[in-house]
Amino acid sequence: RAASQPHHFLSMTVDGRSGIFSTTGNEDCHIILRGGVVPNYDRENIMQAVEKLEVYGLRPNVMFDCSHANSNKQPQRQVDVARDLSSQISAGNQNIMGVMLESHINAGRQDIVPGKPLDYGVSITDACINWRDTDGVLRSLAEAVTVRRQRDAA
């Protein structure tokens, strides 16, 4: 709700001076479901989030973090989460408006160790799926959106 409303706040300009900034609010806000104690990308949790957004007069736009708690912090499970979301989109769910993936060229993650070279294309932050899996996920989601649009047009 807050992000959809106008705000005035004190911050720094690019020149390093303090200034008062104003926003008009963002009418295109969305909520991001990352999971919690349990994953929350299933149909029931989506409907609960949509109902709460509608109660407050907000757009029922829901984005999903396929990583973190929704994948039980197991990077390869992001593919399963995205597959489930794709099937919900194909079935006509209009509220799923985006996904977030932890993705890199190569799968996994690595620590920065002084004197040890980094492995090319491996994350130094969160563990990721590789590009081949990311490509498959993106193609699956695109196909699901195409199916949803065809259903809507019929």
Side-chain angles (χ1 to χ4, degrees):
R1 282 172 61 185
S4 68
Q5 301 301 308
H7 285 76
H8 304 284
F9 58 94
L10 182 65
S11 189
M12 300 297 283
T13 67
V14 293
D15 298 329
R17 296 189 173 128
S18 61
I20 297 176
F21 294 83
S22 298
T23 69
T24 58
N26 183 352
E27 65 183 36
D28 296 318
C29 292
H30 57 271
I31 190 167
I32 300 172
L33 297 183
R34 299 180 56 174
V37 175
V38 296
N40 62 1
Y41 58 88
D42 60 281
R43 187 180 188 293
E44 183 179 324
N45 277 292
I46 295 171
M47 291 298 101
Q48 288 175 5
V50 165
E51 287 171 10
K52 287 179 183 177
L53 290 166
E54 289 175 338
V55 162
Y56 290 104
L58 300 171
R59 288 186 182 186
N61 295 335
V62 185
M63 179 179 284
F64 288 89
D65 183 341
C66 292
S67 185
H68 301 97
N70 273 334
S71 68
N72 293 316
K73 297 191 177 187
Q74 297 173 22
Q76 198 56 40
R77 290 220 42 223
Q78 294 182 92
V79 175
D80 299 329
V81 174
R83 186 179 302 120
D84 186 283
L85 292 169
S86 291
S87 71
Q88 292 184 59
I89 293 167
S90 293
N93 187 309
Q94 295 290 332
N95 305 109
I96 300 170
M97 52 75 62
V99 301
M100 297 166 34
L101 298 169
E102 297 286 353
S103 169
H104 211 307
I105 298 167
N106 296 310
R109 71 166 301 280
Q110 62 185 324
D111 292 321
I112 298 174
V113 178
K116 180 183 176 204
L118 293 173
D119 293 330
Y120 175 77
V122 177
S123 174
I124 59 170
T125 57
D126 291 334
C128 295
I129 58 175
N130 65 27
W131 179 247
R132 185 190 63 222
D133 290 335
T134 302
D135 181 65
V137 164
L138 295 176
R139 289 178 189 278
S140 173
L141 289 163
E143 169 90 16
V145 170
T146 299
V147 170
R148 180 172 70 184
R149 287 178 179 163
Q150 290 170 345
R151 291 171 59 100
D152 291 347

